[in-house]
Amino acid sequence: MVHNNKEVLDYWNQHEVESMYDKYLINLEIELIKENLKPGSKILDAGCGEGEGTVVYASIPDSKIHAVDFSETRLKKAAETLNNVNNVSFKQVDFLGEYKLDNDYDFIVSQRFLINLMEWDLQKKVILDIMNMLKPTGKFLMLEGCIDGVIELNNFRSLYGLEPIPVKWHNLFFENDKLVNFMEENGYKLTKQDGLGDYFLLTRGVRPILDTNLNWDNDFNKISASLEVKDLLRLNTRFSRLKLWCFSKT
């Protein structure tokens, strides 16, 4: 472990901690990633957490999944989630330490993993390592926190006198232009970007104006997560605290 990584690891090793308490949101994240994956793919799920996404990616026909995380607790939870799934292997990996993984992945998925590396230099190092593990035709599906969406959403909230939603202490969100420029400078291409702006604006912007009881499991959030709402609003990356960047090697 290096820098403050030990502190972050201790946090994620707490059994009671969940990676995402808003289950409508995590399901939207997973679907956003899954629609970019293809049958017959070898996939690295980097920072697999409790395996909520892993179990969905494993359902893709003829897929082979390597699920890794630096937290022993997260891996145990993931193994329980995928107890009867035979196309997934698990491994404890600290991407800031010594490790050995394959270098022929069709897809590598990072779902709110890199934001736990609390320095830009560390994030850059791990991103370059990840790109080197892809096939020449492989793609990196990076669904991570985006500071641009944080600012847009908080600006909307401020119009109604709502406090800004902070970024958690153990997260460093990405600046879109800085990330894209870094990848281009290293010869990588942004092939797609998307987000969940409709859901974030409705559940973190509009609903707090109307309701002080902000539980996650409710009809308002359920409707906000629907395809009908997405098709109507089409906000994509606007107001989205999370963003999907798809990068390729060529």
Side-chain angles (χ1 to χ4, degrees), residues 36-249:
N36 292 279
L37 299 172
K38 296 179 180 179
S41 296
K42 183 176 178 179
I43 301 167
L44 175 65
D45 191 356
C48 65
E50 294 96 301
E52 290 171 292
T54 317
V55 70
V56 175
Y57 313 143
S59 69
I60 297 170
D62 301 316
S63 62
K64 181 180 181 182
I65 317 292
H66 291 178
V68 304
D69 202 283
F70 78 152
S71 164
E72 184 179 0
T73 301
R74 297 302 112 187
L75 283 173
K76 285 180 179 178
K77 287 174 176 281
E80 292 170 4
T81 301
L82 290 102
N83 185 35
N84 296 314
V85 180
N86 58 18
N87 61 332
V88 178
S89 61
F90 297 96
K91 187 174 184 178
Q92 188 170 4
V93 169
D94 176 8
F95 281 90
L96 298 178
E98 296 294 324
Y99 64 92
K100 176 66 176 171
L101 291 169
D102 295 345
N103 61 0
D104 61 347
Y105 294 104
D106 297 290
F107 295 95
I108 297 179
V109 173
S110 168
Q111 185 179 352
R112 285 181 288 105
F113 150 57
L114 292 168
I115 54 175
N116 289 282
L117 305 174
M118 297 164 63
E119 298 176 29
W120 172 230
D121 284 343
L122 298 180
Q123 291 174 331
K124 288 191 292 185
K125 175 193 180 301
V126 174
I127 288 171
L128 293 180
D129 290 343
I130 283 173
M131 296 303 295
N132 285 330
M133 288 187 276
L134 287 167
K135 286 180 178 178
T137 56
K139 289 189 176 180
F140 178 32
L141 307 181
M142 179 178 163
L143 194 147
E144 298 283 350
C146 180
I147 198 66
D148 307 70
V150 170
I151 292 169
E152 286 180 328
L153 182 59
N154 283 338
N155 285 343
F156 179 87
R157 286 171 60 89
S158 70
L159 296 175
Y160 292 89
L162 298 171
E163 293 293 319
I165 301 175
V167 174
K168 290 183 177 180
W169 68 267
H170 56 88
N171 290 163
L172 176 63
F173 280 18
F174 289 88
E175 297 176 38
N176 181 75
D177 290 348
K178 182 190 285 189
L179 172 64
V180 174
N181 289 340
F182 167 74
M183 296 300 278
E184 289 178 348
E185 288 167 3
N186 283 277
Y188 302 123
K189 181 181 178 182
L190 177 67
T191 59
K192 182 178 179 180
Q193 51 187 330
D194 206 345
L196 303 167
D198 324 288
Y199 187 76
F200 273 104
L201 181 64
L202 290 173
T203 62
R204 274 72 167 170
V206 175
R207 186 166 175 243
I209 302 166
L210 309 173
D211 193 349
T212 56
N213 180 27
L214 297 177
N215 60 309
W216 298 122
D217 188 12
N218 60 82
D219 287 341
F220 185 93
N221 287 17
K222 181 179 180 180
I223 295 168
S224 299
S226 68
L227 287 174
E228 290 85 353
V229 166
K230 185 175 183 179
D231 288 341
L232 282 169
L233 297 183
R234 301 185 183 186
L235 292 175
N236 299 323
T237 60
R238 290 211 64 193
F239 305 106
S240 189
R241 286 172 58 93
L242 297 172
K243 184 171 181 176
L244 176 68
W245 292 271
C246 301
F247 293 106
S248 68
K249 301 183 82 168

